[in-house]
C-alpha cells in the first residue's frame, strides 16, 4: 500500500519539504533550550525532550532528548487538553510535573504552548526538561511520591500572556536552588516560544491545509514502513524473562520482568501484564512509560531511522499494559528512579524476538544510567547537588557486528557525560580514573561492547547516592554468545575498598579521601565465541579489550609471546571444546 | 626589483584554482586545472601556467587546501601515539558517550585516530586550580618514549589534565619525547587549545598529530617547489578562521587549516560586501557534493570555538576557533531516490565524479541534481564547462523517469522540478544552520553565492529563505582562491578564567590580554607584515548557565573598565541569539579571547567598463526553452557573462552563462551588473 496515493492531496515534494521544516522546528527548540539552560543535566546530559503535537496531542515531531520519553510528552499534552478543553487561549502556557501524567519523576517539568493560525488552534509545542532539584529528600530512599518534592498538577503557568506569579512563588520556595530552577524555566519557555514561532512561519509559508495534510501523510509513511517491516517477522508468540536486582528497600528480592510478544501479519502486540507489580522503592514509572517501553522497542526494530518521530509508526503496535505494574504504577508509588527498569523491559522484548528476527535484534546492554548523585558543600562554600555521569556502558553484539563500548543506555540518546576538567572545577572531587573494563564485553563470535570504570575521590565531605541495578542479571548474550559483566559499585571508606549486596548506595557519607568506584556492565556477545576469527581475538588482546586468559578460556585462542595467534594450540583448544 | 604580484591557490577535490593580483599592472588573473592527487604541487604549477603567472614575480603566496581534512576523513595519517594523564588512557575512546542515532540498534560511535595500544599514560596530575597534585614522573615518560620508538611511532600527541591552567608538564613531556624521537612530529594540547574539556582537547591534539607529518611534508614540498621557481616572498596558509598564518606555523598547527578552502570563500564574500557597503550577508558555496553556508554580521564572519568533523554521530571534535560554516550533503552530484513509504529524498549520497550524474554518460544510471537542471533547460548539453564536456540529455531523462517519475506517478518534468525543490530546501537548511539557529533572520541578509553549482540555485534558495538580494561575484568558480587575496595574518588566543563580571579584577584581565597581545605581536613581527590590529572579546554567561556567548570588547569598553557597558553588550547578544535575556541575573566571565591581525593591503576591486544599460547584442548567445514552476517551459534568453558591462540590466527569466557556472534568473527576478562586475539580483516576490 502506498501511503501517498491513498489520501494525499499534498504534492509529495511539498511533503518532503515540510518534513525538513518540522525537523528544523524541533531542532531549534532543542538547541535554544540547551544553549540557555542553567543545569548540567539539561545542557550537557540533554535530559529533556521537545516536541510538536497536533491539536489533539498526537506526536508530529520529537527532538531528542530522551528516547524513552517518546510517549510521555504526548500523553501530557493530551492530559492538558482533557483538563482545559475549550479554556485554552492564545498566550496561555500550561504546566505540570505530575509524575503519573508524565510517567516519570517530579523533576520533569513540562510546559506546553498552543499554536494558532488565524485564530484557530492548530498545534502545540511542548518542552519537558529535568530540573536539578524539585524539593523533597535530596538523597536516600523514598517510599511515596510526597517525599520526592513539590507536585504541580495540570495548571496554567501563563494566562493570555500574564504569568501566574503565585505559582512561581510557590515553586521557588519549594526548591533548593530557585535561581537555577527559574533559569531552567526561562530556557524551557524560550524553547516552546521559538517552536511556536517557527511552526507558525511554516504554516504561513506553505498554507495550513498543506502543512497539516503533510503531517498526516508523514504519519502514514511511517506506518507503511512499520507495517512492511513487521510483516517480515514470522508470525508467532515470543516470550522472554529477566529480572532486576531489587527495589532498594527489600535488599536481594529480585523483581521479575516478563514479556510476551505476538506477531500476526503486519501487526504486533506487546503484552506487559506479567512485568512485576509496582514496588515499594522508587523504581516505579507511570503507564505512559510502560507504553513507551513497547514503542521504543518497536521503533528500534521497525522504523529506527525514520524521522520525524511521529505516532504513525505505532499504529501497527498494540500494547497490553494494565495499571499497577512497576512500569504502570499508580499514586502514591515513589517514582524518583523511574528510568532504571524500563530499559530492561525493552532489552527483554529484543530477547523475546531474537529467535524470530536474529539479524535485527541486539544482545543485552548494561541497561542503566550508571550515574551517581552527590550533594554537600562545594569549594565556594555553597550547597551543591549534582550528577556525575552517565558513565556509559557496553552495548550488545549483533549477528553481524561487535557491540559498541561505553555509550549511554537506551533510556538516553544524545546524552553526554560531564568532562572531568569541568566537574573538578565545580565540585570537590578528584576523578582518579575513567577507563575501559577489560573482559567486560560478553564473549561471542561478535563481542559485546566494553563497560567502563570510574573512580572518584572526595576532596571534602559530601553525601553520595547511586541507584544502579542489573548487577545480578548481567547483559545476556544471544545465539550462544556469553553475558557481559554486570554493573557494580565499590566504596573506599577509611582506605578500605568494600562492596555490598547490590550496586546501590543511599545517602552514603564520604569523608575527604574516601572514594567510590562505579563499574558499568559490558554488552552481551552474539554467537559462539569459538567461531570468532582467532586474529580478531589476538587484536582484542593486543588492544587490551580481552585478556590473555579470557582469549584462551572463553574464545579458545592461544597466543604466542609476540601476540600472534598460536595456530596449533588454538586448533587444539577449539577442537577440545567440541568434545 | 620590487615584486608586486600576489598569488592565491585553493586546492579542492576536483579542481585547483588560482587567483592572482598584480599591484603594479592592477590586473587580476585566474587559472583552473585538475587537482593532481598523487602530487598536489603539480596542480599548483599547472594552474599557474594556465593563468600565466610566475612565482618569481610574486612577493606573497597564499594557500588553502583540503589536505588536512582529507587526511582526517580518509584516515591516511601517521602512526600516532597519544600520551595522557594516568587514569585517562581511554578518554579519547570513551568520548562523550552520547548516542544521537537514538533508536538505531546499529548505531556507530567515533573511531579514534590512534589505537588503544598506542595510547599511554603518564604519571602526573594537576588539579582544576592548576596546583600540582602529583609531580611528573620523568623517568616513566622516558620509558614510554623508548616504547614509542620501538613501536615505530611517527607522531605523538600529548594531553594532560588541566594543562590549560599550566602547561609546564606538557612542555616537559614534549621535550623528553623530542629527545628520544628527534624525527617524530610532537604536539601538545595547550598549543592548540587552552579551554577545558579533556575529550575535545584530546581529539584536537590527536588530529593535529595524525595529519601533522603529511601536512608538514606537503608544506615542505610546496616550499621547495616555490624555491625552485625563485619565489622570494612570504608563504602563508589560510586557517579555518579565514586568517592567514605562515607556513612554518601551518607545519606545526595543522588542524588550524581544516576548513581552509571554505574559509577563503567567506573572506571573499566579506570583501565584496565591504566594497558594496553591506554589513550583513550570507556566504553560500555549492559544489559537486556539498553546499556550505557562512554568515557575515556587522562586517565580520561569525566564528565558533569548536567544530565536529565527519558526521554528527561519528564526529571528531576539534576545539579551535573556526569560521562558523554549516555544511549539507547536497551538491550537483547528489542522488535522488524514492525511499520506503514513498518519500522522495535527495542526497546525501553523491554520484561523485565517477560514475557521476547520468548525463555525464560515464555509466551512472541514477538521477542527480545536475540531471534535473539539464532536463529543465538550465544547463546546456553543449555548453557545459564552456562546451568542453558534452552532456547526454536522453540518459538524464531515462534516469529521472525510472528512478523518480514512474515510482511516484509523476512526469519527468515534475520529477526534475521536485528534485530541485527538495535540494533547495535542504540547502536552505544549511543557511538556517548559520542564521536562524543563531537567532539571525536570514531574510534580512543579502546572499553572496558562488561555487560551480551555486548560481544555478541561488534564486530558488533566496525565495525559500525570504532573501531579496543575491550577489553573484565575478568569477564564482574561482571564488575561494580569489577570497584569499583579502585575508589578513591572524593569530587567535583564548584563556579560561571563570570570574564573576561584577568583581573580576581588571588588572588580572589586562595582564591576560597583554600576554596574548605580546604573543600575537611577536608572531606577526616575524613576517614582513607591519600593521597590527588587536581585537579583544570575552565569553560570558549568566551565573549557572553553561554555554557562553562571545562578546567583543571595544577598546573603549575595555580601557574605561566599564562593567555596565560590558554587561549590556552581553545581554544584547543573548537577546539576539536566543530571544531572551535576564538583565537582573549575575554574569560571569568564562574565558577571554584575543585576535591579533597582521593587516595586509587588499587588492582593489577593479571597475568594469560601463555599458549602455542593456546587454549589448553580442551578449545574447541564444534563446531556448527553460522550465520554471510558474510558467512551464518558456523561451528564455541566454547571455554570455563576459560580454556584459556595468549597468546592464536583465529581466527574468534569463540565464547568464560563464565558463564554470550558470546563473538562473527566474520569472520576476531581475539583475543589474554592478561597477565591480558582480551580478546583483533582485529576487521576485512570487514563488
Amino acid at each position: 500500500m502506498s501511503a501517498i496515493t491513498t489520501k494525499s492531496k499534498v504534492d509529495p515534494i511539498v511533503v518532503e519539504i515540510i518534513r525538513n521544516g518540522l525537523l528544523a522546528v524541533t531542532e531549534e527548540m532543542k538547541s535554544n533550550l540547551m544553549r540557555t539552560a542553567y543545569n548540567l543535566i539539561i545542557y550537557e546530559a540533554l535530559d529533556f525532550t521537545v516536541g510538536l503535537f497536533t491539536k489533539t496531542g498526537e506526536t508530529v515531531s520529537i527532538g531528542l532528548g530522551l528516547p524513552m520519553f517518546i510517549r510521555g510528552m504526548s500523553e501530557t499534552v493530551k492530559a492538558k487538553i482533557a483538563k482545559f478543553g475549550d479554556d485554552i487561549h492564545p498566550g496561555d502556557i500550561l504546566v505540570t510535573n505530575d509524575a503519573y501524567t508524565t510517567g516519570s519523576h517530579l523533576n520533569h517539568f513540562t510546559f506546553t504552548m498552543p499554536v494558532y493560525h488565524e485564530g484557530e488552534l492548530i498545534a502545540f509545542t511542548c518542552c519537558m526538561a529535568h530540573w536539578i532539584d524539585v524539593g523533597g529528600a535530596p538523597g536516600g530512599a523514598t517510599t511515596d511520591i510526597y517525599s520526592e518534592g513539590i507536585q504541580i498538577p495540570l495548571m496554567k503557568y501563563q494566562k493570555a500572556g500574564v504569568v501566574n506569579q503565585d505559582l512561581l512563588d510557590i515553586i521557588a520556595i519549594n526548591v533548593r536552588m530557585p535561581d537555577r530552577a527559574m533559569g531552567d524555566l526561562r530556557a524551557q519557555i524560550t524553547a516552546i516560544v521559538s517552536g511556536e514561532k517557527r511552526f507558525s512561519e511554516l504554516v504561513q509559508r506553505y498554507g495550513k491545509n498543506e502543512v497539516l495534510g503533510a503531517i498526516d501523510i508523514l504519519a502514514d509513511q511511517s506506518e507503511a514502513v512499520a507495517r512492511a517491516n513487521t510483516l517480515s517477522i514470522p508470525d508467532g508468540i515470543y516470550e522472554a524473562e529477566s529480572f532486576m536486582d531489587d527495589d532498594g528497600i527489600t535488599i536481594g528480592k529480585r523483581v521479575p520482568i516478563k514479556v510476551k510478544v505476538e506477531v500476526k501479519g503486519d501487526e504486533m502486540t506487546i503484552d506487559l501484564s506479567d512485568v512485576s507489580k509496582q514496588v515499594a522503592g522508587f523504581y516505579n514509572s507511570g503507564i505512559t512509560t510502560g507504553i513507551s517501553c513497547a514503542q521504543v522497542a518497536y521503533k528500534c526494530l521497525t522504523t529506527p531511522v525514520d524521522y520525524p518521530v511521529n505516532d504513525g509508526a505505532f499504529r501497527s503496535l498494540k500494547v497490553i499494559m494494565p495499571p499497577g505494574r512497576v512500569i504502570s504504577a499508580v499514586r502514591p508509588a515513589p517514582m524518583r528512579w523511574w528510568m532504571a527498569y524500563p530499559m530492561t523491559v525493552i532489552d527483554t522484548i529484543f530477547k523475546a524476538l531474537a529467535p524470530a528476527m536474529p539479524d535485527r535484534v541486539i544482545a543485552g546492554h548494561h541497561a542503566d544510567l550508571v550515574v551517581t548523585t552527590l550533594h554537600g558543600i562545594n569549594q565556594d562554600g555553597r550547597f551543591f547537588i549534582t550528577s556525575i555521569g552517565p558513565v556509559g556502558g557496553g552495548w550488545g553484539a549483533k549477528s553481524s557486528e561487535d557491540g559498541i563500548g561505553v555509550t549511554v543506555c537506551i533510556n538516553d540518546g544524545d546524552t553526554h557525560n560531564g568532562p572531568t576538567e569541568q566537574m573538578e572545577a565545580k565540585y570537590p572531587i578528584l576523578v582518579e580514573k575513567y577507563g575501559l573494563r577489560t573482559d567486560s564485553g560478553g564473549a561471542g563470535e561478535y563481542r559485546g561492547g566494553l563497560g567502563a570504570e570510574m573512580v572518584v575521590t572526595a576532596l571534602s565531605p559530601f553525601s553520595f547516592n547511586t541507584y544502579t541495578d542489573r548487577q545480578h542479571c548481567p547483559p545476556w548474550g544471544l545465539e550462544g554468545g556469553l553475558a557481559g559483566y554486570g554493573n557494580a559499585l565499590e566504596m573506599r571508606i577509611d582506605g578500605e575498598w568494600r562492596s555490598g549486596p547490590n550496586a546501590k548506595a543511599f545517602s552514603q557519607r564520604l569523608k575527604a579521601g574516601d572514594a567510590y568506584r562505579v563499574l558499568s556492565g559490558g554488552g552481551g556477545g552474539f554467537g559462539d565465541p569459538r567461531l570468532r576469527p582467532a586474529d580478531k581475538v589476538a587484536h582484542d588482546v593486543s588492544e587490551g579489550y580481552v585478556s590473555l586468559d579470557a582469549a584462551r578460556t572463553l574464545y579458545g585462542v592461544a597466543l604466542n609471546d609476540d601476540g600472534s595467534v598460536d595456530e596449533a594450540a588454538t586448533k587444539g583448544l577449539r577442537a577440545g571444546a567440541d568434545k | 626589483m620590487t615584486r608586486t604580484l600576489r598569488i592565491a591557490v585553493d586546492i579542492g577535490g576536483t579542481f585547483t584554482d588560482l587567483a592572482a593580483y598584480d599591484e603594479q599592472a592592477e590586473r587580476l588573473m585566474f587559472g583552473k586545472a585538475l587537482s593532481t592527487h598523487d602530487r598536489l604541487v603539480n596542480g599548483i604549477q599547472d594552474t599557474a601556467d594556465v593563468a600565466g603567472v610566475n612565482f618569481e614575480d610574486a612577493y606573497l603566496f597564499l594557500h588553502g587546501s583540503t589536505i588536512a581534512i582529507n587526511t582526517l576523513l580518509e584516515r591516511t595519517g601517521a602512526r600516532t601515539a597519544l600520551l595522557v594523564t594516568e587514569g585517562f588512557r581511554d578518554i579519547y575512546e570513551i568520548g562523550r558517550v552520547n548516542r544521537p542515532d537514538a533508536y538505531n540498534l546499529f548505531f556507530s560511535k567515533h573511531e579514534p585516530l590512534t589505537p588503544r595500544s598506542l595510547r599511554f599514560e603518564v604519571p602526573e596530575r594537576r588539579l582544576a586550580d592548576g596546583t600540582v597534585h602529583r609531580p611528573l614522573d620523568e623517568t616513566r615518560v622516558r620509558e614510554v618514549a623508548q616504547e614509542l620508538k620501538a613501536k615505530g611511532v611517527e607522531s605523538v600527541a600529548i594531553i594532560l589534565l588541566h594543562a590549560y591552567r599550566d602547561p609546564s608538564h606538557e612542555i616537559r613531556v614534549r621535550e623528553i619525547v623530542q629527545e628520544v624521537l628527534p624525527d617524530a612530529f610532537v604536539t601538545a594540547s595547550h598549543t592548540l587549545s587552552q579551554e577545558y574539556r579533556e575529550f575535545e582537547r584530546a581529539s584536537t591534539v590527536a588530529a593535529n598529530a595524525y595529519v601533522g607529518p603529511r601536512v608538514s611534508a606537503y608544506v615542505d614540498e610546496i616550499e621547495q617547489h616555490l624555491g625552485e621557481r625563485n619565489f622570494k616572498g612570504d608563504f602563508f596558509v589560510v586557517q579555518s578562521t579565514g586568517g592567514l598564518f605562515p607556513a612554518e606555523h601551518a607545519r606545526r598547527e595543522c588542524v588550524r587549516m581544516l576548513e581552509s578552502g571554505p574559509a577563503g570563500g567567506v573572506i571573499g564574500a566579506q570583501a565584496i560586501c565591504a566594497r558594496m557597503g553591506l554589513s550583513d550577508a550570507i556566504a553560500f558555496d555549492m559544489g559537486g557534493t556539498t553546499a556550505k553556508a557562512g554568515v557575515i554580521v556587522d562586517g565580520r564572519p561569525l566564528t565558533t570555538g569548536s567544530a565536529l568533523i565527519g558526521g554528527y554521530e561519528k564526529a571528531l571534535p576539534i576545539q579551535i576557533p573556526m569560521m562558523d560554516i554549516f555544511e549539507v550533503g547536497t551538491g550537483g552530484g547528489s542522488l535522488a531516490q524514492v525511499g520506503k513509504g514513498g518519500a522522495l529524498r535527495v542526497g546525501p549520497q553523491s554520484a561523485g565524479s565517477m560514475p557521476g550524474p547520468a548525463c555525464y554518460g560515464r555509466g551512472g544510471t541514477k538521477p542527480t541534481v545536475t540531471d534535473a537542471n539539464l532536463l529543465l533547460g538550465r544547463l546546456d548539453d553543449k555548453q557545459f564547462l564552456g562546451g568542453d564536456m558534452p552532456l547526454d540529455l536522453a540518459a538524464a531523462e531515462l534516469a529521472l523517469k525510472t528512478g523518480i517519475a514512474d515510482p511516484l506517478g509523476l512526469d519527468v518534468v515534475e520529477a526534475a522540478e521536485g528534485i530541485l525543490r527538495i535540494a533547495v530546501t535542504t540547502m536552505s537548511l544549511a543557511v538556517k544552520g548559520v542564521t536562524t539557529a543563531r537567532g539571525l533572520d536570514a531574510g534580512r541578509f543579502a546572499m553572496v553565492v558562488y561555487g560551480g553549482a551555486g548560481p544555478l540555485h541561488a534564486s530558488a534558495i533566496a525565495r525559500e529563505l525570504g532573501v531579496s538580494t543575491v550577489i553573484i561575484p565575478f568569477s564564482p568558480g574561482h571564488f575561494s582562491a580569489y577570497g584569499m587575496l583579502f585575508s589578513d595574518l591572524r593569530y587567535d588566543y583564548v584563556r579560561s578564567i571563570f570570574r564573576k563580571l561584577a568583581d573580576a579584577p581588571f588588572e588580572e584581565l589586562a595582564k591576560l590580554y597583554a600576554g596574548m597581545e605580546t604573543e600575537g605581536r611577536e608572531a606577526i613581527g616575524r613576517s614582513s607584515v607591519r600593521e597590527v590590529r588587536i581585537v579583544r572579546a570575552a565569553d560570558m554567561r549568566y551565573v549557572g548557565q553553561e554555554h557562553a556567548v562571545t562578546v567583543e570588547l571595544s577598546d573603549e569598553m575595555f580601557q574605561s573598565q566599564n562593567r555596565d557597558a560590558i554587561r549590556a553588550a552581553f545581554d544584547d547578544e543573548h537577546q539576539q541569539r536566543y530571544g531572551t535575556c535576564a538583565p537582573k541575573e549575575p554574569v560571569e566571565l568564562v574565558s577571554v579571547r584575543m585576535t591579533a591581525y597582521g593587516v595586509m593591503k587588499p587588492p582593489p576591486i577593479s571597475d568594469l567598463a560601463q555599458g549602455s544599460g542593456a546587454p549589448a547584442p553580442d551578449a545574447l548567445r541564444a534563446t531556448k526553452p527553460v522550465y520554471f514552476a510558474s510558467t512551464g517551459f518558456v523561451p528564455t534568453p541566454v547571455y554570455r557573462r563576459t560580454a556584459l558591462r556595468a549597468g546592464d540590466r536583465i529581466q527574468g527569466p534569463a540565464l547568464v552563462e560563464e565558463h564554470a557556472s550558470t546563473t538562473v534568473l527566474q520569472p520576476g527576478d531581475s539583475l543589474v551588473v554592478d561597477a565591480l562586475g558582480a551580478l546583483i539580483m533582485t529576487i521576485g516576490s512570487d514563488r
Side-chain angles (χ1 to χ4, degrees), chain A residues 4 36 38 43-44 67 205-206 406 408 412-415 417 420-422 424 431 434 436 543 545, chain B residues 87 90 93 96-99 103 109 116-117 125 162 197-198 201 312 342 463-464 544-546 687:
Chain A
I4 282 182
T36 57
Y38 274 60
Y43 59 72
E44 208 67 61
R205 182 153 200 75
Y206 293 100
V406 202
V408 75
D412 286 38
D414 201 6
T415 301
N417 56 13
T420 291
E421 290 176 337
Q422 180 189 54
E424 290 187 351
V431 179
Y434 185 18
L436 300 176
E543 294 301 307
Y545 300 135
Chain B
D90 294 318
E93 178 162 347
R96 301 300 303 278
V97 312
N98 56 323
R99 199 172 51 85
Y103 299 102
K109 178 171 175 158
R116 189 168 190 248
S117 51
R125 186 65 145 90
H162 301 298
R197 289 178 198 274
E198 65 277 7
R201 279 213 324 288
Y312 185 66
R463 278 175 156 76
E464 182 66 28
Q545 275 185 324
E546 168 60 16
R687 278 196 286 132

Side-chain angles (χ1 to χ4, degrees), chain A residues 447-458:
Chain A
R447 175 176 53 71
L450 265 56
E453 161 184 12
M454 181 183 266
V455 182
V456 176
T457 299

Side-chain angles (χ1 to χ4, degrees), chain B residues 89-107:
Chain B
R89 179 189 186 186
D90 294 318
I91 48 162
Y92 184 31
E93 178 162 347
I94 290 173
R96 301 300 303 278
V97 312
N98 56 323
R99 199 172 51 85
D101 202 0
Y103 299 102
N104 187 359
L105 301 177
F106 292 77
F107 67 92

